[in-house]
Every structure is written in structure tokens, then in C-alpha cells.
Amino acid sequence: MSILPPKDWKKIYELSNTYPSKDKVFRCFNYFEPIKTKVVILGQDPYPTLGDANGLAFSVDRSDHLPSSLTNIFKELKNDLGINRINGDLSDWAKQGVLLLNTSLTFNKHKPELIKFWQPFIEDVIQYIDNLVKGVVFILWGNYAKAYLPLIKNNSQYVISSGHPSFAGVHGKFFNTKPFSKCNLILESINKTPIKW
């Protein structure tokens, strides 16, 4: 089984204001070594503001004025593990075997159907990992991410799910779910190095 992007994905950029930039669409796979994958964090779609989306789900290339979703992720990280993180670039997570994936790799406010456009590709990625690697922690944030749960069929995998860390989904659905400590406890229990969040 292989994971190949849609042949016509570049047509998305015929419409202006599509994020992230074309060269960053598949950036999360720059760090992707399938057999070394420990964690998959699955979100929804890239940030809708120019300059924010950088190809890694929830990540930005700056530390000032973080998007609300990332601010809430860092609040939960502080609450969960006492880590006071301000660096919005999450590539250090990716380098440790965390695939930062969205259910849609591009965003355009005029084409909400992009979620469906990317669905077959995201399904291939999830199934590829599920078939190839044992003991992966899938962290599903939000309903779009949870929709992929049926594809995780390998009994050796672990799933942590909650509401999306956006402003609308945090109270009672994301805060106090402690995904970071839960993930590391799982990794330690199967003799894998925990993530330095």
C-alpha cells in the first residue's frame, strides 16, 4: 500500500487565498518516517489567516499572537504537564515521531468542500500507518478527526479523543482532557520514548 496525493491537488490554487502556500501543503511528511511514527495528532484544517498555516497541523512559524487553537493547546499543556510553552513552531514534535496532520491539507473560505477533496488521501495515510506500525497513539481533536476512528483497526493502537481546541470547543470538551500525559504514559507502557512536549 502506498500513499499518493491527489493528482489534481494543485488546481486548488487556481483560487486565491488558499492556505498554506503551495510549497508547504505536504510539509508534515518532510518529518514522516512511517516506522518511527509514535503519535498522530489529527486536527481539522489549516489556519485561515495569511502567514499562519505552515503545513504542520496547529503549528505556526512565530510565537507572538498565537492562533486561538494553539493558545488553548498550550494552556492544556500547562495544565497537564506544567510546561509553559510559547514557541508556536511544532516541528520539534514532528522530529520526535509526531505526525501533525489535518483532515484537509488546504483551506479556502470559498471552497469548504476541500475537506471532502482530501478525504481519500487522509484515509490512505491513516490506513497506511495502521497497517504498518504497532503501538501508535492517535490523538483525535474534533468531530472531523473523530470521523476517522473506524479506520484505526489494528488492536495494538491507542486512541485519545476530545473536542477541538478551537475557542468553541474547549470548555468541557478539550480543557482538562490531559492528552499529553495520557499519550506519554501509553508510550512508556509499551517501551517507547515519551514525547518532549
Side-chain angles (χ1 to χ4, degrees), residues 30-176:
N30 292 347
Y31 307 93
F32 180 56
E33 296 183 67
I35 201 67
K36 294 182 180 180
T37 301
K38 298 179 186 176
V39 182
V40 176
I41 293 181
L42 188 60
Q44 183 171 322
D45 47 22
Y47 293 122
T49 307
L50 178 64
D52 277 354
N54 68 6
L56 304 178
F58 300 105
S59 178
V60 293
D61 292 329
R62 53 186 171 80
S63 298
D64 59 322
H65 305 295
L66 298 178
S68 60
S69 292
L70 189 55
T71 297
N72 290 329
I73 289 170
F74 287 173
K75 285 181 179 178
E76 180 60 15
L77 180 60
K78 174 70 173 179
N79 173 63
D80 187 4
L81 293 175
I83 297 173
N84 186 28
R85 182 175 178 126
I86 58 173
N87 182 10
D89 178 7
L90 304 181
S91 60
D92 59 308
W93 293 2
K95 292 173 183 177
Q96 296 177 71
V98 180
L99 179 61
L100 295 160
L101 184 66
N102 277 315
T103 57
S104 177
L105 298 191
T106 54
F107 175 87
N108 189 293
K109 65 180 181 180
H110 301 294
K111 292 184 73 67
E113 67 273 17
L114 288 178
I115 285 276
K116 293 182 179 179
F117 174 85
W118 287 106
Q119 183 176 344
F121 175 69
I122 301 302
E123 288 177 350
D124 286 347
V125 173
I126 298 297
Q127 290 177 314
Y128 179 81
I129 295 170
D130 188 53
N131 290 330
L132 183 68
V133 191
K134 294 182 179 180
V136 176
V137 182
F138 288 85
I139 300 178
L140 311 179
W141 284 339
N143 290 333
Y144 284 96
K146 292 176 187 177
Y148 288 84
L149 180 59
L151 298 178
I152 304 170
K153 298 180 179 180
N154 189 322
N155 290 333
S156 74
Q157 316 297 27
Y158 301 84
V159 176
I160 299 170
S161 65
S162 71
H164 193 275
S166 64
F167 178 77
V170 289
H171 295 289
K173 297 180 180 180
F174 178 76
F175 285 151
N176 299 313

